[in-house]
């Protein structure tokens, strides 16, 4: 993220953090977002409560700090200029929930029977500041509800259910996303040179990620 971080131009400003219970290394402390009360159950997939808590904190205290908030998995390559170009044409005051739309059958939040639900894939999705402000109370409800009933649920499905149930905010496609990347640099070169330009590429292994950036 270093080339894109804050340089004094508000139209080009980027703030980037790792989200973790504590910094993986001491020198990462200044750019690791650690929240008091965060409970890491050490499960690689079923982490909905942690991310609902993250979004609830951002909605309550930081919705005015940025126009858009992007969450991406550690193995997602984020094409920052391409995503900024998309977001530049959107009104951040309007509730937006953008990503790669997926449909699944699951138990709706507070429901008793399985139903078709839609959500944005956890590899990378965007919430506007308007969405966070509108969803603030609903996110707090979902944090409490998931802690009581859905502690082992998946982040992306649960967030989609939360926004859809409490706010009637449904996922929309952000643009071209490559979600079946084979990890090779040759594939990456082909992906970037063949239109449309991808906004996100997933999954990318650490050695390839370092080389790509």
């Amino acid at each position: 993220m270093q080339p894109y971080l804050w340089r004094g131009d508000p139209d080009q400003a980027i703030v980037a953090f790792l989200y973790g219970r504590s910094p993986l290394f001491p020198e990462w402390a200044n750019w690791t977002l650690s929240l008091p009360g965060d409970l890491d159950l050490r499960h690689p997939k079923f982490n909905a409560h942690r991310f609902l808590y993250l979004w609830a904190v951002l909605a309550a205290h930081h919705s005015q700090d940025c126009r858009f908030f992007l969450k991406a998995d550690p193995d997602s390559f984020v094409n920052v200029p391409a995503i900024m170009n998309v977001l530049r044409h959107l009104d951040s005051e309007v509730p937006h929930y953008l990503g790669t739309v997926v449909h699944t059958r699951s138990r709706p939040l507070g429901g008793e029977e399985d139903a078709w639900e839609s959500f944005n894939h956890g590899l990378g999705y965007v919430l506007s500041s308007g969405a966070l402000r509108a969803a603030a109370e609903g996110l707090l409800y979902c944090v409490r509800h998931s802690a009581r009933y859905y502690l082992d649920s998946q982040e992306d499905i649960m967030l989609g259910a939360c926004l859809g149930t409490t706010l009637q905010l449904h996922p929309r496609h952000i643009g071209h996303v490559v979600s079946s990347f084979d990890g090779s640099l040759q594939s990456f070169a082909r992906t970037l040179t063949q239109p449309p330009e991808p906004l996100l590429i997933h999954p990318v292994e650490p050695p390839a990620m370092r080389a790509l950036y």
Side-chain angles (χ1 to χ4, degrees):
M1 297 301 297
Q2 190 63 37
Y4 310 108
L5 297 181
W6 174 258
R7 291 292 185 270
D9 182 351
D11 291 326
Q12 300 292 329
I14 295 288
V15 179
F17 288 102
L18 292 174
Y19 178 39
R21 184 65 187 86
S22 59
L24 293 177
F25 303 100
E27 59 269 27
W28 291 10
N30 289 337
W31 43 283
T32 298
L33 177 61
S34 299
L35 303 178
D38 176 25
L39 177 64
D40 186 354
L41 300 178
R42 301 294 180 184
H43 197 293
K45 196 173 187 69
F46 299 119
N47 51 10
H49 186 263
R50 297 191 67 211
F51 280 93
L52 287 173
Y53 181 62
L54 166 67
W55 288 116
V57 170
L58 292 175
H61 302 290
H62 300 285
S63 63
Q64 300 292 340
D65 291 353
C66 293
R67 293 197 292 271
F68 294 96
F69 297 78
L70 179 145
K71 174 266 172 186
D73 281 349
D75 58 347
S76 292
F77 176 86
V78 180
N79 189 341
V80 177
I83 288 181
M84 290 184 67
N85 187 53
V86 170
L87 299 181
R88 192 173 289 118
H89 300 287
L90 299 176
D91 183 354
S92 61
E93 297 299 310
V94 174
H96 290 290
Y97 171 40
L98 308 171
T100 302
V101 180
V102 180
H103 304 280
T104 187
R105 284 191 66 83
S106 63
R107 184 72 52 86
L109 195 67
E112 297 182 357
E113 298 182 359
D114 287 356
W116 283 103
E117 292 192 299
S118 58
F119 60 95
N120 281 321
H121 195 293
L123 66 90
Y125 55 83
V126 172
L127 287 172
S128 65
S129 59
L132 282 184
R133 287 195 300 276
E137 291 187 8
L139 286 166
L140 285 175
Y141 165 79
C142 294
V143 167
R144 299 187 183 101
H145 193 79
S146 69
R148 187 173 183 180
Y149 299 108
Y150 295 98
L151 198 58
D152 61 348
S153 54
Q154 296 185 41
E155 163 229 344
D156 46 9
I157 297 176
M158 191 65 173
L159 180 65
C162 177
L163 295 175
T165 301
T166 64
L167 191 62
Q168 295 300 303
L169 178 59
H170 301 290
R172 291 170 45 217
H173 283 290
I174 190 173
H176 182 48
V177 173
V178 176
S179 56
S180 57
F181 184 59
D182 69 8
S184 70
L185 293 180
Q186 292 80 6
S187 293
F188 182 80
R190 289 195 300 270
T191 299
L192 284 186
T193 55
Q194 295 175 356
E197 184 178 12
L199 306 180
L200 294 151
I201 301 175
H202 176 272
V204 180
E205 294 298 317
M209 187 76 76
R210 285 192 291 269
L212 298 179
Y213 278 112

